[in-house]
Amino acid sequence: EVFSADVVKKYQQTLAHVWIYQVRYGTSGSFEPVNVQPLIAANNQSGEQFIVAHNGQFSKDIRHLETDKSDTVLFVQNLAGRKIDGHLDQQIVQAISEKRGAWSLVIGTRKALYVARDPFGFRPLVYGHIWDDSAKTYIWAAASETSSLETMGATDIFELMPGTVAKITEGGLH
């Protein structure tokens, strides 16, 4: 229902290194446009843009009591405000490692797709790839359900292990 034929056609004609779609409602925060995922932001210091989609809930902290913003918005704001002493990679891994709760998430940058899962594995996250014959390369895909990847034609589908952060680049999975 969300991805009508017109929407699919529009995006099939658009070139990109990373695509992130989210068709899930937020489980925290108010029903306001600010909470609609995926969320797009930039690091305040480096200006590097990133996109976040999140399934589940991060454990609540005191800030949740003071705002109608979702836990995902608060995570994105935290990542955007971090000091970059090297690469955004380090800040992404650090921000993820600080989170507790039941969640899986993806973070896209211009050069990479990060996939992460909570340490207890409460929320699923699977990844795989689709062979693109015209480009003679694999297209990586991640989702919270195996059926989503199967519908897309993904092969070699794997479950991301609990507590794992993986990075997918043109060079493959790291």
Side-chain angles (χ1 to χ4, degrees):
E1 294 172 358
V2 173
F3 299 114
S4 67
D6 291 339
V7 170
V8 170
K9 183 177 179 182
K10 174 185 173 186
Y11 288 109
Q12 283 177 331
Q13 298 169 357
T14 305
L15 298 176
H17 287 235
V18 174
W19 287 94
I20 296 179
Y21 293 100
Q22 173 70 303
V23 291
R24 184 180 180 278
Y25 61 90
T27 55
S28 71
S30 61
F31 290 105
E32 300 292 330
V34 68
N35 292 325
V36 175
Q37 296 183 44
L39 300 171
I40 302 169
N43 179 269
N44 297 341
Q45 183 181 348
S46 70
E48 187 173 353
Q49 290 187 320
F50 60 93
I51 303 168
V52 175
H54 167 239
N55 176 13
Q57 281 188 290
F58 295 130
S59 295
K60 295 196 184 304
D61 63 29
I62 194 68
R63 294 182 302 163
H64 285 95
L65 302 175
E66 301 169 356
T67 182
D68 285 336
K69 294 177 184 172
S70 72
D71 51 354
T72 312
V73 170
L74 295 174
F75 173 82
V76 167
Q77 289 175 340
N78 176 277
L79 187 55
R82 286 177 174 264
K83 270 191 140 176
I84 304 293
D85 293 329
H87 298 283
L88 186 58
D89 291 0
Q90 297 163 335
Q91 298 306 321
I92 288 172
V93 171
Q94 181 64 36
I96 291 169
S97 69
E98 295 169 359
K99 289 299 170 191
R100 301 293 175 258
W103 51 268
S104 60
L105 67 94
V106 296
I107 301 174
T109 67
R110 290 203 182 277
K111 297 183 179 184
L113 177 67
Y114 298 83
V115 292
R117 190 170 176 204
D118 72 79
F120 298 104
F122 291 124
R123 292 281 190 249
L125 189 84
V126 293
Y127 62 93
H129 42 70
I130 304 162
W131 178 253
D132 183 344
D133 203 40
S134 64
K136 302 292 185 223
T137 190
Y138 283 106
I139 298 170
W140 288 86
S144 59
E145 296 180 14
T146 304
S147 62
S148 299
L149 296 184
E150 290 170 345
T151 299
M152 294 170 60
T155 58
D156 301 323
I157 298 172
F158 302 95
E159 179 180 357
L160 187 67
M161 298 306 296
T164 301
V165 178
K167 178 181 176 182
I168 302 168
T169 66
E170 288 181 351
L173 182 70
H174 309 276

